[in-house]
Amino acid sequence: MERQSVCAVVVTYNRRELLLECLEALKGQTVPLDAIYLIDNASTDSTPQLLLDSGFIDIIPPDALTEPVGYHKKLSATSTDIYYVRMHRNTGGAGGFHEGVRRAYDSGAHWLWLMDDDVEPVKDALEVMLSYTAVGECVLPNKKFADGTVLSDDSHFSLSMGKMMPVRNGEFAQHSRFSFKNYATFEGMLISRRIVEQIGYPDRRFFYLGDDFVYGVMASLYTNIVFIKDGLFYKKLKRQDAKSLMGRESIRLKDMEIYYRVRNMFLIFEYMKKIGTFSPLAYVSLFMNTIKSALGIVVYDKSLRRLYLLFKGLTDGVLKRFTKW
């Protein structure tokens, strides 16, 4: 039987120290990787210099680029090929994963292991995940924080409303080691070449937020999405503490999250319409949530800029202006 090759795709932007931890963890996997595709979204924090000093690249790209430039090196300790791609501009997580998945797919890889730069796989993460590929061709790891706390995840993606919904039928309790989902995240997603052939590459138009959820939704049309309950990845960054608004928790978002979370809902709706599951009630839910978000901005942030970004996101989504904010 032909050996199944595995390539990791890592997208980074201005998180050089976290990136290095992720890369070192990839080097130390009990099942060696065939290649790592590292997509640097034009980082401005001297990421190339750190990669050079750490032995992951042999040359620093020039400052002024007009298109992505790729560099290759074989890591002597593991014989893993690393392909460092320096983007000419920040294309967001969505653009980075589009580039990385395209390159890994074109290389002929059988499996693609997709991850952000702020997660780190435990030593046997890939070995464990590969053991589930007979169950589904898209495998997700659970995540844990440094203190050992494992993230709880009891939700599904509503294919009619385009948002996360709680699971009420106890599905996640049916298996002790894994369960099934209908969405995914780029925090350790292992996906087969066959599924990429069916669904294409991540959609660059998202730029930030939602691209991985939709990619998982599309994958779920062709395979089981297996969610392993063990914490196989460390999650390095936590969200800010939530505040109370109208008796419910309200998580304060970064400026770009405020904009893209609203705007990208219209891209998500576009996909839901394509697969025939969209409900017009999703528009009602979106506009109600936008009003709620505006109230939170007025009460807690007291920021005209954040209020502007919220309604700019809504306007751009309605008008289908899917360019960088």
Side-chain angles (χ1 to χ4, degrees):
M1 183 176 178
E2 182 185 9
R3 180 183 175 275
Q4 298 282 288
S5 57
V6 183
C7 293
V9 175
V10 184
V11 176
T12 189
Y13 179 69
N14 284 355
R15 290 176 178 163
R16 51 182 244 151
E17 300 297 340
L18 292 177
L19 171 64
L20 190 60
E21 293 171 359
C22 178
L23 293 175
E24 292 292 348
L26 291 177
K27 282 174 54 180
Q29 289 297 299
T30 54
V31 173
L33 286 161
D34 293 275
I36 300 171
Y37 285 83
L38 172 57
I39 312 301
D40 180 359
N41 255 324
S43 296
T44 58
D45 64 347
S46 301
T47 288
Q49 184 63 58
L50 182 62
L51 292 173
L52 179 68
D53 295 342
S54 303
F56 285 102
I57 60 175
D58 289 328
I59 187 172
I60 293 181
D63 291 332
L65 295 175
T66 58
E67 61 182 4
V69 175
Y71 302 88
H72 169 253
K73 178 177 182 177
K74 186 174 287 290
L75 301 178
S76 57
T78 61
S79 296
T80 298
D81 291 299
I82 184 163
Y83 297 91
Y84 172 63
V85 180
R86 175 76 175 183
M87 302 297 284
H88 57 301
R89 58 183 173 83
N90 182 8
T91 61
F97 280 108
H98 178 99
E99 184 77 15
V101 170
R102 180 183 64 80
R103 287 175 181 259
Y105 178 83
D106 287 347
S107 77
H110 296 98
W111 291 91
L112 284 66
W113 202 18
L114 315 180
M115 63 194 73
D116 290 320
D117 54 8
D118 66 334
V119 296
E120 176 186 330
V122 301
K123 192 174 184 64
D124 63 345
L126 181 57
E127 181 179 359
V128 172
M129 293 178 70
L130 286 170
S131 71
Y132 285 88
T133 54
V135 183
E137 293 180 61
C138 184
V139 183
L140 306 177
N142 203 353
K143 299 175 287 293
K144 59 185 176 181
F145 293 111
D147 61 5
T149 303
V150 177
L151 276 68
S152 60
D153 196 331
D154 58 352
S155 54
H156 263 192
F157 193 79
S158 170
L159 298 181
S160 60
M161 301 296 287
K163 65 180 182 179
M164 302 305 298
M165 302 287 282
V167 173
R168 305 184 190 279
N169 60 6
E171 176 183 344
F172 291 103
Q174 292 177 11
H175 299 280
S176 60
R177 300 299 300 275
F178 71 92
S179 58
F180 296 111
K181 288 187 175 294
N182 67 343
Y183 73 96
T185 66
F186 293 150
E187 294 181 325
M189 176 201 295
L190 181 67
I191 188 168
S192 76
R193 176 180 186 83
R194 186 185 75 86
I195 301 302
V196 176
E197 287 175 355
Q198 296 291 330
I199 66 177
Y201 309 137
D203 190 338
R204 288 178 289 194
R205 296 177 299 166
F206 279 89
F207 187 81
Y208 176 70
L209 290 179
D211 51 311
D212 49 357
F213 277 30
V214 164
Y215 205 61
V217 168
M218 300 308 293
S220 74
L221 302 179
Y222 300 94
T223 186
N224 290 326
I225 295 185
V226 182
F227 175 68
I228 303 173
K229 294 185 178 181
D230 291 337
L232 298 177
F233 269 67
Y234 287 104
K235 176 72 173 172
K236 302 297 186 66
L237 300 179
K238 287 187 176 183
R239 284 193 175 277
Q240 296 180 356
D241 293 336
K243 298 181 182 294
S244 177
L245 178 65
M246 299 174 64
R248 301 183 65 181
E249 285 191 344
S250 175
I251 297 175
R252 312 317 303 147
L253 305 176
K254 295 183 292 186
D255 283 3
M256 65 186 305
E257 287 180 307
I258 291 173
Y259 172 79
Y260 284 112
R261 177 167 288 197
V262 176
R263 192 207 69 170
N264 287 355
M265 286 302 300
F266 291 89
L267 281 172
I268 292 173
F269 293 166
E270 178 182 305
Y271 278 88
M272 301 305 98
K273 291 173 183 177
K274 284 181 181 178
I275 63 177
T277 60
F278 179 77
S279 168
L281 290 176
Y283 287 124
V284 178
S285 176
L286 173 60
F287 289 119
M288 292 296 292
N289 286 334
T290 302
I291 293 172
K292 190 183 303 180
S293 296
L295 180 59
I297 290 172
V298 170
V299 172
Y300 292 114
D301 303 324
K302 299 177 176 60
S303 168
L304 288 176
R305 169 176 168 76
R306 290 165 72 85
L307 202 59
Y308 162 76
L309 288 173
L310 177 68
F311 287 102
K312 175 174 171 53
L314 184 65
T315 302
D316 286 350
V318 169
L319 298 178
K320 301 185 184 301
R321 294 194 296 230
F322 300 123
T323 56
K324 185 179 177 182
W325 73 318

